[in-house]
Amino acid sequence: GAVVSQHPSWVICKSGTSVKIECRSLDFQATTMFWYRQFPKQSLMLMATSNEGSKATYEQGVEKDKFLINHASLTLSTLTVTSAHPEDSSFYICSAMAGGWDTQYFGPGTRLTVL
Amino acid sequence: GENVEQHPSTLSVQEGDSAVIKCTYSDSASNYFPWYKQELGKRPQLIIDIRSNVGEKKDQRIAVTLNKTAKHFSLHITETQPEDSAVYFCAAKGGSQGNLIFGKGTKLSVKP
């Protein structure tokens, strides 16, 4: 149990375009979902926390207008990278947590490359 | 806010030896400490966790110890195997929304 999927697994886009990444909890209701960014050989950097039906809470230094997060249902959260630029290229990973749980379960990640 | 320090950053052991990774945290209110294993290009996978009301937890070759007074916790892997090679992250649960604060990771290499 506790499976989290993420789509797409990789995406290549042109500079200036927007990219949407989906995160789904497959066998549990995720009241909270987290979005992380990971650079090569580095740790996970929390970008934002989203609770179903409410606005996401962004970490300091993360542009909310650039990284749009929507958590419209208990099984789906989306991250949209707007007007992507090469510096946005990274590995983006989501995680999900059910109400009352301590444990976060991670999606497989999305590798974004902006040309 | 919470801060998690993890050591060492790299660890190389011979197959069959033990490996120990240590983490310290700053927020005494933190009450949940998971360990994740991440293979290259893959998702972090939970391998063991411990809560603040427990001092030690073991699962086959893996164990975690927690010292609340000193605010540190450690991962112990015994009888290491080449497939244990990966990056290991410790984390502490902080913040009102259950955010995990991660250490910087330890790259473990197990040589056959």
Side-chain angles (χ1 to χ4, degrees), chain A residues 4 34 36 38 42-44 46 49 51 57 59 97 102-104 106-108, chain B residues 32 36 38 41-44 46 49 51 89 93 97-100 102-104:
Chain A
V4 178
F34 303 87
Y36 295 85
Q38 187 175 36
Q42 292 191 24
S43 189
L44 296 146
L46 179 65
T49 302
N51 291 293
T57 301
E59 294 299 300
M97 185 172 75
D102 288 319
T103 304
Q104 292 183 27
F106 284 85
Chain B
Y32 174 66
Y36 288 88
Q38 187 179 29
K42 297 189 176 181
R43 78 182 83 197
L46 179 72
D49 56 12
R51 288 172 174 76
F89 292 100
K93 181 181 175 183
Q97 299 197 72
N99 301 356
L100 288 179
F102 284 86
K104 292 189 182 298

Coordinates of all heavy atoms in Angstrom, one line a residue, chain A residues 4 34 36 38 42-44 46 49 51 57 59 97 102-104 106-108, chain B residues 32 36 38 41-44 46 49 51 89 93 97-100 102-104:
Chain A
V4 N 2.4 6.2 -4.5 CA 2.3 7.5 -5.1 C 2.9 7.5 -6.5 O 4.0 7.0 -6.7 CB 3.1 8.6 -4.3 CG1 2.9 10.0 -4.9 CG2 2.5 8.6 -2.8
F34 N 3.4 17.2 -0.7 CA 4.6 18.1 -0.6 C 5.3 18.1 -2.0 O 5.3 17.0 -2.7 CB 5.6 17.6 0.4 CG 5.0 17.5 1.8 CD1 4.3 16.4 2.2 CD2 5.1 18.6 2.7 CE1 3.8 16.3 3.5 CE2 4.6 18.5 4.0 CZ 3.9 17.3 4.4
Y36 N 9.0 18.8 -3.8 CA 10.4 19.0 -3.5 C 11.1 19.1 -4.9 O 10.7 18.7 -5.9 CB 11.0 17.7 -2.9 CG 10.5 17.4 -1.5 CD1 9.4 16.7 -1.3 CD2 11.2 17.9 -0.3 CE1 8.9 16.4 0.0 CE2 10.8 17.6 0.9 CZ 9.6 16.8 1.1 OH 9.2 16.6 2.4
Q38 N 15.2 18.6 -6.4 CA 16.4 17.9 -6.0 C 17.4 18.2 -7.1 O 17.2 17.8 -8.3 CB 16.3 16.4 -5.8 CG 17.5 15.8 -5.2 CD 17.3 14.3 -4.9 OE1 16.5 13.6 -5.5 NE2 17.9 13.8 -3.8
Q42 N 22.5 16.2 -4.4 CA 22.1 17.1 -3.3 C 20.8 16.5 -2.6 O 20.2 15.6 -3.1 CB 21.8 18.5 -3.8 CG 23.1 19.2 -4.2 CD 22.9 20.7 -4.4 OE1 22.0 21.3 -3.8 NE2 23.8 21.3 -5.2
S43 N 20.5 17.1 -1.5 CA 19.3 16.7 -0.8 C 18.0 17.2 -1.4 O 18.0 17.9 -2.3 CB 19.5 17.1 0.7 OG 18.5 16.5 1.5
L44 N 17.0 16.8 -0.7 CA 15.6 17.2 -1.2 C 15.3 18.6 -0.6 O 15.4 18.8 0.6 CB 14.6 16.2 -0.7 CG 14.8 14.8 -1.3 CD1 14.4 13.8 -0.3 CD2 13.9 14.7 -2.5
L46 N 12.5 21.3 0.1 CA 11.0 21.5 0.1 C 10.7 22.8 -0.6 O 11.2 23.8 -0.3 CB 10.5 21.4 1.5 CG 9.0 21.6 1.7 CD1 8.2 20.5 1.1 CD2 8.6 21.8 3.2
T49 N 4.0 23.1 0.5 CA 3.2 22.1 1.1 C 1.7 22.4 0.7 O 1.3 23.6 0.8 CB 3.3 22.2 2.7 OG1 4.6 22.0 3.0 CG2 2.4 21.2 3.3
N51 N -2.4 21.4 1.1 CA -3.5 20.7 1.7 C -4.7 20.7 0.8 O -5.0 21.8 0.2 CB -3.8 21.3 3.1 CG -2.7 21.1 4.1 OD1 -2.5 19.9 4.5 ND2 -2.1 22.1 4.5
T57 N 1.3 26.3 0.8 CA 2.2 27.1 1.6 C 3.6 27.0 1.0 O 4.1 25.9 0.9 CB 2.2 26.7 3.1 OG1 0.9 26.8 3.6 CG2 3.2 27.5 3.9
E59 N 7.7 27.6 0.6 CA 8.9 27.9 1.4 C 9.6 29.2 0.9 O 9.4 29.7 -0.2 CB 9.9 26.7 1.2 CG 9.4 25.4 1.8 CD 9.1 25.5 3.3 OE1 10.0 25.8 4.1 OE2 7.9 25.3 3.7
M97 N 0.9 12.4 2.2 CA 0.7 12.0 3.5 C -0.8 12.0 3.8 O -1.4 13.0 3.5 CB 1.5 12.9 4.5 CG 1.5 12.6 5.9 SD 2.6 13.7 6.8 CE 1.6 15.2 6.9
D102 N 2.4 10.1 10.1 CA 3.7 10.8 10.1 C 4.5 10.6 8.8 O 5.2 11.4 8.4 CB 4.5 10.3 11.3 CG 4.0 10.7 12.6 OD1 3.6 11.9 12.7 OD2 4.0 9.9 13.6
T103 N 4.3 9.5 8.2 CA 5.1 9.1 7.1 C 4.7 9.7 5.8 O 3.5 9.8 5.4 CB 5.1 7.5 6.9 OG1 5.4 7.0 8.1 CG2 6.0 7.1 5.8
Q104 N 5.7 10.2 5.0 CA 5.5 10.7 3.7 C 5.9 9.6 2.7 O 7.0 9.0 2.9 CB 6.3 12.0 3.4 CG 5.8 13.2 4.2 CD 6.6 14.4 3.8 OE1 7.2 14.5 2.7 NE2 6.7 15.3 4.8
F106 N 6.8 8.9 -1.3 CA 7.3 9.7 -2.4 C 6.9 9.2 -3.8 O 6.8 7.9 -4.0 CB 8.8 9.8 -2.4 CG 9.3 10.8 -1.4 CD1 9.5 10.4 -0.1 CD2 9.6 12.1 -1.7 CE1 10.0 11.3 0.9 CE2 10.1 13.0 -0.8 CZ 10.3 12.6 0.5
G107 N 6.6 10.1 -4.7 CA 6.4 9.7 -6.1 C 7.8 9.4 -6.7 O 8.8 9.6 -6.1
P108 N 7.8 8.9 -8.0 CA 9.0 8.5 -8.6 C 9.8 9.7 -9.2 O 11.0 9.5 -9.6 CB 8.6 7.6 -9.8 CG 7.2 8.0 -10.0 CD 6.6 8.5 -8.7
Chain B
Y32 N 9.4 12.7 15.1 CA 9.3 11.6 14.2 C 10.5 11.7 13.3 O 10.9 12.7 12.8 CB 8.0 11.7 13.3 CG 7.9 10.7 12.2 CD1 7.8 9.3 12.5 CD2 8.0 11.1 10.9 CE1 7.7 8.4 11.5 CE2 7.9 10.2 9.9 CZ 7.8 8.8 10.2 OH 7.7 7.9 9.1
Y36 N 15.4 7.4 4.7 CA 15.0 7.1 3.4 C 16.3 6.6 2.6 O 17.4 7.2 2.8 CB 14.4 8.3 2.6 CG 13.0 8.6 3.1 CD1 12.8 9.5 4.1 CD2 11.9 8.1 2.4 CE1 11.5 9.8 4.5 CE2 10.6 8.4 2.8 CZ 10.4 9.3 3.8 OH 9.2 9.6 4.2
Q38 N 17.7 6.3 -1.3 CA 17.5 6.7 -2.6 C 18.6 6.2 -3.6 O 19.7 6.6 -3.4 CB 17.4 8.3 -2.7 CG 17.0 8.8 -4.1 CD 16.9 10.3 -4.2 OE1 17.6 11.0 -3.5 NE2 16.0 10.8 -5.0
G41 N 18.5 8.3 -9.5 CA 17.4 8.6 -10.4 C 16.1 8.1 -10.0 O 15.1 8.1 -10.7
K42 N 16.0 7.6 -8.7 CA 14.8 7.0 -8.3 C 14.2 7.7 -7.1 O 14.8 8.6 -6.5 CB 15.0 5.5 -7.9 CG 15.4 4.7 -9.1 CD 15.4 3.2 -8.8 CE 15.7 2.4 -10.1 NZ 15.7 0.9 -9.8
R43 N 13.0 7.3 -6.6 CA 12.4 8.0 -5.5 C 13.0 7.6 -4.2 O 13.5 6.5 -4.1 CB 10.9 7.6 -5.5 CG 10.6 6.2 -4.9 CD 9.1 5.9 -4.9 NE 8.7 5.4 -6.2 CZ 7.4 5.4 -6.7 NH1 6.5 5.8 -5.9 NH2 7.1 4.9 -7.9
P44 N 13.0 8.5 -3.2 CA 13.4 8.1 -1.8 C 12.4 7.0 -1.3 O 11.2 7.2 -1.4 CB 13.3 9.4 -1.0 CG 13.3 10.5 -2.1 CD 12.6 9.9 -3.3
L46 N 11.2 4.8 2.1 CA 11.3 4.7 3.5 C 11.9 3.3 3.9 O 11.4 2.3 3.4 CB 9.9 4.9 4.1 CG 9.9 4.8 5.7 CD1 10.5 6.0 6.3 CD2 8.4 4.6 6.1
D49 N 11.8 4.0 10.5 CA 11.5 5.2 11.1 C 11.4 5.0 12.6 O 11.2 3.8 13.1 CB 10.2 5.9 10.6 CG 9.0 5.0 10.7 OD1 9.0 3.9 11.3 OD2 8.0 5.3 10.0
R51 N 9.8 7.0 16.4 CA 9.2 8.1 17.0 C 9.8 8.4 18.4 O 10.6 7.6 18.9 CB 7.7 7.7 17.2 CG 6.9 7.7 15.9 CD 5.5 7.2 15.9 NE 4.9 7.4 14.6 CZ 5.1 6.7 13.6 NH1 5.9 5.7 13.6 NH2 4.5 6.9 12.4
F89 N 19.1 9.3 3.4 CA 18.8 10.6 4.0 C 18.1 10.3 5.3 O 17.1 9.5 5.4 CB 17.8 11.3 3.1 CG 18.4 11.8 1.8 CD1 18.2 11.1 0.6 CD2 19.1 13.0 1.8 CE1 18.7 11.5 -0.6 CE2 19.7 13.4 0.6 CZ 19.5 12.7 -0.6
K93 N 10.8 15.4 11.6 CA 9.5 16.0 11.4 C 9.4 17.3 12.2 O 9.5 17.3 13.4 CB 8.3 15.1 11.7 CG 7.0 15.7 11.5 CD 5.8 14.8 11.9 CE 4.5 15.4 11.7 NZ 3.4 14.5 12.2
Q97 N 2.8 21.7 9.7 CA 2.2 20.9 8.6 C 2.8 19.5 8.4 O 2.6 18.9 7.4 CB 2.2 21.7 7.3 CG 1.4 23.0 7.4 CD 1.0 23.6 6.1 OE1 0.1 23.0 5.4 NE2 1.7 24.6 5.7
G98 N 3.7 19.1 9.3 CA 4.3 17.8 9.2 C 5.4 17.8 8.2 O 5.8 16.8 7.7
N99 N 6.0 19.0 8.0 CA 7.2 19.0 7.1 C 8.3 18.1 7.6 O 8.6 18.1 8.7 CB 7.7 20.4 6.9 CG 6.6 21.4 6.4 OD1 5.5 21.0 6.1 ND2 7.0 22.6 6.4
L100 N 9.0 17.5 6.6 CA 10.2 16.7 7.0 C 11.4 17.6 6.6 O 11.5 18.2 5.5 CB 10.3 15.4 6.2 CG 9.4 14.3 6.6 CD1 9.6 13.1 5.6 CD2 9.6 13.9 8.0
F102 N 15.2 17.4 5.9 CA 16.2 16.4 5.5 C 17.6 16.7 5.8 O 18.0 17.9 5.7 CB 16.0 16.1 4.0 CG 14.8 15.3 3.7 CD1 13.6 15.9 3.4 CD2 14.9 13.9 3.6 CE1 12.5 15.2 3.1 CE2 13.7 13.1 3.3 CZ 12.5 13.8 3.0
G103 N 18.4 15.8 6.2 CA 19.8 15.9 6.2 C 20.3 16.0 4.7 O 19.6 15.7 3.8
K104 N 21.6 16.2 4.6 CA 22.2 16.4 3.2 C 22.5 15.0 2.6 O 22.8 15.0 1.4 CB 23.5 17.2 3.3 CG 23.2 18.7 3.7 CD 24.4 19.5 3.5 CE 24.2 21.0 4.0 NZ 23.2 21.6 3.1

